[in-house]
Amino acid sequence: MTVDVLRRPALADRRARLAVAVLFFTNGALFANLLPRYPQIKADLGIGNAAYGLAVAAFPAGAITAGLAAGILVRRFGSARVAVGGTLLTGVGILAAGLADSVMVFAGALFLAGAMDAFTDVAQNAHGLRVQRRYGRSIINSFHAIWSIGAVTGGSMAAAAIALGVARGPHLLFSAAVFAVAACVALRYCLPGPEAETETEPAAATGAGDRAPLPTRAPAAGPRTGWVLAALVLIATAGTLVEDAGMSWATLYLSDSLHATAALAASGYVALVGAQFVGRIVGDRLVDRFGQRAVARSGALIAAVGMGLALAVPTVPGTVLGFAAAGFGVATLVPAAMHEADELPGLKPGSGLTLVSWLMRLGFLLSPPVVGLVADATSLRVGLLVVPLAGLLVLLCAGVLRPRRG
């Protein structure tokens, strides 16, 4: 009998893993259905780049405002219920944003969607890490890869709706309804019990066979923990800066600056999240072989060089490839920072994860208005230099990540 057979997870654990994957998929797909609609919304509302940047910053502002409450909700209602409830309300906010007839309504709807997305983000990662502990090995990157699949699916749905001339209302109502049903079905198969339960030696409890011992939390450490946590926040924030560049500006840059068609302009964001998915699929194997530190540094270099070249020589194909390089390069940053923070010594369980998830959203909050102001003062091409700069930031901070074992 092989080790893989011996370590085969129990049926309930496999179902829970699939359920968490569905939650990550719906989370990625929901917002991605709105992003390619941004140029239409911007044109319909008649706003400039700066006002647009401030409006879309309402999404991360809502997430930051509500983010710290996620831990309280998870402890009270359970991570699975919070993730599903947040998904349902995120869909409502996205639909309202798509139907907004004023900048204030648009920003308010995004604020609501961002707050609910923050609850979902913390809760689904908490439940995913709970499932990971039962597996006894790393699977968190696979969940984030599924998120990328969801984002590609959502972006493709929106591109198809635009190409077919489907109005925003019916399109976003359909996507909200479909993914709400999927999330509710997934809830049935999530892990039962309170969040505080100890996930130790699940194989012995379920009769699933022998399994490798699960890692235990390290003893309390000194002041260095705070510095490591700060560096992890910067690494995760760099990842969000690149993601936001794709979400908020890729479609606009391709359509307005490079004169791509509306359907083709959506390919910039799809390329970013598609390449991000590939990076996350191979991420666990790369980390096991080379260590998270080397993977992060290599990815940061790919993102900086790839997007830097695309901005230096602006063409539609080159820019799409540049966004793809950026997505691949930052693929493992957020999962790595969350996992490392969740294992930091001297912190209560879940505290590091909540803090990184909350503070990394500063990237989503600050990036849109800053890029918008730079774009109005110079050009959007200059504003998108935030992507290679984020890669340089990771190169500076990656030393806090774990090197190759052995």
Side-chain angles (χ1 to χ4, degrees):
M1 185 176 293
T2 66
V3 173
D4 288 336
V5 173
L6 285 172
R7 296 184 180 180
R8 183 177 177 82
L11 178 60
D13 298 340
R14 298 199 303 272
R15 286 178 173 174
R17 180 178 182 177
L18 178 60
V20 175
V22 170
L23 293 177
F24 271 83
F25 179 88
T26 59
N27 183 247
L30 269 175
F31 194 46
N33 267 276
L34 177 65
L35 295 176
R37 296 287 193 170
Y38 273 180
Q40 295 176 340
I41 296 173
K42 179 175 179 288
D44 289 347
L45 297 179
I47 55 177
N49 286 325
Y52 167 79
L54 289 171
V56 297
F59 187 91
I64 291 174
T65 301
L68 288 181
I72 299 173
L73 293 174
V74 165
R75 286 190 292 271
R76 178 161 186 178
F77 300 106
S79 56
R81 291 179 179 176
V82 173
V84 173
T87 297
L88 301 182
L89 293 175
T90 298
V92 172
I94 288 172
L95 176 60
L99 297 176
D101 57 1
S102 70
V103 176
M104 293 302 296
V105 173
F106 178 58
L110 287 180
F111 186 91
L112 170 65
M116 296 304 103
D117 180 75
F119 295 157
T120 301
D121 185 41
V122 172
Q124 68 186 9
N125 275 285
H127 208 80
L129 289 171
R130 189 177 166 197
V131 174
Q132 177 174 278
R133 287 191 289 271
R134 293 177 69 91
Y135 265 63
R137 57 186 172 86
S138 176
I139 59 174
I140 191 65
N141 275 310
S142 68
F143 292 136
H144 286 262
I146 295 297
W147 184 95
S148 297
I149 294 178
V152 170
T153 301
S156 300
M157 288 172 61
I162 292 170
L164 294 173
V166 180
R168 290 196 299 269
H171 160 220
L172 295 175
L173 177 61
F174 173 78
S175 66
V178 168
F179 298 124
V181 170
C184 289
V185 172
L187 178 61
R188 180 179 179 183
Y189 299 99
C190 289
L191 294 176
E195 295 303 307
E197 72 174 274
T198 303
E199 310 287 353
T200 58
E201 299 297 340
T206 60
D210 296 335
R211 194 169 304 177
L214 297 175
T216 56
R217 190 173 298 274
R224 183 176 181 274
T225 297
W227 293 105
V228 173
L229 182 62
L232 292 174
V233 169
L234 290 176
I235 290 172
T237 300
T240 64
L241 286 173
V242 175
E243 289 183 21
D244 179 75
M247 289 192 299
S248 300
W249 300 105
T251 304
L252 282 174
Y253 180 62
L254 284 163
S255 61
D256 293 354
S257 301
L258 302 183
H259 310 294
T261 63
L264 182 59
S267 64
Y269 175 68
V270 172
L272 184 145
V273 293
Q276 190 178 56
F277 160 73
V278 174
R280 286 171 173 174
I281 282 292
V282 301
D284 286 322
R285 294 180 181 178
L286 291 175
V287 169
D288 287 341
R289 182 170 184 179
F290 301 107
Q292 183 61 68
R293 184 182 300 171
V295 171
R297 284 174 172 165
S298 300
L301 189 61
I302 290 172
V305 173
M307 196 62 193
L309 289 175
L311 294 173
V313 186
T315 64
V316 172
T319 299
V320 172
L321 290 175
F323 278 111
F328 182 84
V330 303
T332 64
L333 295 185
V334 172
M338 287 183 168
H339 178 259
E340 294 272 354
D342 199 50
E343 298 294 326
L344 276 178
L347 298 177
K348 295 180 180 179
S351 297
L353 170 63
T354 300
L355 285 171
V356 167
S357 179
W358 180 57
L359 291 174
M360 76 178 187
R361 292 178 181 271
L362 288 173
F364 287 118
L365 176 64
L366 298 177
S367 179
V370 170
V371 172
L373 290 171
V374 172
D376 280 347
T378 55
S379 69
L380 185 51
R381 179 183 171 192
V382 175
L384 286 174
L385 285 173
V386 67
V387 175
L389 290 176
L392 295 178
L393 178 62
V394 174
L395 287 173
L396 293 174
C397 297
V400 300
L401 298 174
R402 298 178 187 180
R404 179 181 178 182
R405 295 180 180 179

